[in-house]
Amino acid sequence: MSKIFVTRKFPGTALDRLKESGNGVTISEFDRPITQEELIDKGKGCDALLTLLTDKIDGELVDAIGPQLKVVSNYAVGFDNINVPELSDRGIIAANTPCEEVNEAVAEHTWALLLALTRRIVEADESTRRGSYRGWEPNIFLGKSLKGKTLGVIGLGRIGTMVAKRAKGFEMRVLYNKRTPDTDAEKDIGIEFSDLDRLLRESDFVSLHVPLTDETRGMVNAESLGKLKQGCYLINTARGPIVDEHALVDALRSGHLSGAALDVFEVEPNINPELIGMENVVLTPHIASGTHEAREKMGQLAVDAVLQVLSGQVPENIINKEVWPQARANTEKELVRYKVA
Ligand code: GLV
Ligand code: GLV
């Protein structure tokens, strides 16, 4: 029997399956992110941790959990909360939960935000609820049409590709930027590769779909915002620190940017109070992957990775595949086999 600690309860049926797996499963009793101290206290002696993007997992933390720890399975697509090299050094497997359901959910939320901006849905809803509606008027809440406009997709991974595909339904032109051009996607979807400068200059909407890395941290800053076409809109459903929020506020305040929609923030859960005060800004609380379908699948994948590693199998969504030959889970299995033979 292995010991498994889950840092927070999540929706769906996967946790029941984990509990029925014959292992010793503990789930944090708190309906909030767990503190590092609590995580060490509850996780000590565990073979597996099932973590959330609000948990910070590094070498120091896993050392405190103990040498028996074999896997950290992160209930998220992004894993910038995990110091993967430090886990790899210790033979600990890291896994995440990329899947079509999450990609679709994030792509759909990106479009919900983009349309909320262009059709001023949030402002109009607030005004209507306040009782301001006096019947049809020719000049209230005029928005912008999408047809023929240009969407700039920065990062054409699985999510960025789905966002780009959906733009074609609105008859938009799509420019994308990616380290290596994706000629298949260009043919399949009808999109065009562009260097970053041109993408910024020519896009009416820019949507971010890169992971948070040293390279992408702060990539949307005063300089890149300055290159954006006058009146452009920015949508961020990726990670907050990709955008320098102060520079964004300045670009919105000066009118250089027409609006921004953010699902993620530089220092979560804090939100720059200036953004909160702006009418041309739409804010959602990091819910882009928040559909029932996506969260169910994320839970199943996160649980699969835990159970697979604990039974000596390489999980499908392993992040540090190269570690497997030296993985604690794998080498222990070898030892068991040797003993049996
Ligand atoms: C959510 O932000 C995720 O990375 O799954
Ligand atoms: C809008 O409701 C219109 O009929 O023009």
Side-chain angles (χ1 to χ4, degrees):
M1 191 184 82
S2 299
K3 283 176 70 185
I4 303 164
F5 180 60
V6 180
T7 64
R8 189 165 179 178
K9 192 172 184 302
F10 53 77
T13 59
L15 283 179
D16 291 332
R17 184 159 64 89
L18 188 64
K19 283 188 246 169
E20 288 156 13
S21 68
N23 293 290
V25 178
T26 310
I27 302 172
S28 167
E29 72 261 38
F30 306 117
D31 189 20
R32 57 159 171 79
I34 197 166
T35 66
Q36 290 299 96
E37 294 71 31
E38 289 162 347
L39 176 47
I40 292 170
D41 181 47
K42 307 278 180 181
K44 216 183 210 34
C46 280
D47 302 277
L49 295 180
L50 201 160
T51 58
L52 272 55
L53 61 87
T54 40
D55 301 316
K56 185 172 169 286
I57 310 294
D58 57 13
E60 198 182 333
L61 185 278
V62 297
D63 287 343
I65 299 297
Q68 75 300 321
L69 180 66
K70 296 169 190 68
V71 54
V72 174
S73 179
N74 204 42
Y75 176 79
V77 173
F79 48 87
D80 47 279
N81 60 308
I82 299 183
N83 187 324
V84 177
E86 292 186 4
L87 267 58
S88 296
D89 284 347
R90 292 160 173 80
I92 298 170
I93 295 304
N96 66 337
T97 62
C99 53
E100 292 292 285
E101 289 83 349
V102 169
N103 301 338
E104 279 156 13
V106 177
E108 287 169 8
H109 195 71
T110 302
W111 279 99
L113 290 175
L114 195 154
L115 289 163
L117 280 174
T118 56
R119 300 313 304 267
R120 304 174 63 182
I121 300 292
V122 178
E123 286 173 81
D125 175 88
E126 273 169 10
S127 158
T128 308
R129 284 170 201 274
R130 270 201 315 271
S132 308
Y133 182 50
R134 295 185 302 270
W136 189 89
E137 291 185 57
N139 198 29
I140 52 171
F141 297 112
L142 296 190
K144 294 218 171 93
S145 294
L146 300 182
K147 183 172 171 174
K149 301 268 165 58
T150 300
L151 172 68
V153 175
I154 300 183
L156 196 81
R158 285 173 282 212
I159 294 172
T161 305
M162 285 197 183
V163 169
K165 228 180 233 172
R166 282 151 178 75
K168 289 292 154 178
F170 290 104
E171 301 180 54
M172 296 175 79
R173 168 186 180 236
V174 180
L175 296 177
Y176 77 95
N177 182 261
K178 184 182 185 171
R179 233 173 312 181
T180 329
D182 183 340
T183 46
D184 286 343
E186 284 170 27
K187 270 189 239 116
D188 292 350
I189 319 175
I191 59 180
E192 188 187 337
F193 177 81
S194 165
D195 63 45
L196 203 52
D197 274 15
R198 174 170 158 243
L199 182 148
L200 295 172
R201 279 197 319 273
E202 295 188 10
S203 296
D204 300 288
F205 306 91
V206 169
S207 192
L208 305 175
H209 300 286
V210 287
L212 177 62
T213 62
D214 290 341
E215 206 181 326
T216 62
R217 186 178 296 274
M219 78 182 279
V220 179
N221 53 21
E223 193 192 337
S224 43
L225 287 165
K227 289 177 185 161
L228 285 174
K229 183 169 169 177
Q230 168 73 33
C232 181
Y233 294 82
L234 179 75
I235 300 103
N236 188 6
T237 53
R239 281 292 183 267
I242 298 166
V243 177
D244 174 342
E245 267 174 22
H246 286 289
L248 175 64
V249 165
D250 289 344
L252 287 163
R253 196 171 288 288
S254 73
H256 183 62
L257 267 189
S258 282
L262 309 173
D263 184 55
V264 288
F265 305 93
E266 210 171 338
V267 189
E268 293 184 11
N270 303 319
I271 300 179
N272 187 319
E274 304 221 46
L275 289 173
I276 293 179
M278 291 177 162
E279 279 187 342
N280 53 345
V281 169
V282 175
L283 307 170
T284 54
H286 205 150
I287 56 168
S289 73
T291 63
H292 290 289
E293 293 86 347
R295 293 285 158 86
E296 172 67 24
K297 190 63 193 267
M298 287 165 66
Q300 298 296 351
L301 290 172
V303 163
D304 283 347
V306 167
L307 296 178
Q308 283 164 347
V309 173
L310 293 180
S311 63
Q313 297 167 50
V314 187
E316 274 158 57
N317 297 322
I318 187 168
I319 298 166
N320 50 357
K321 205 181 255 142
E322 70 291 351
V323 171
W324 185 254
Q326 302 85 258
R328 288 178 184 175
N330 190 32
T331 49
E332 280 191 13
K333 194 179 86 178
E334 297 297 320
L335 292 177
V336 173
R337 264 206 227 115
Y338 180 74
K339 266 187 252 161
V340 173

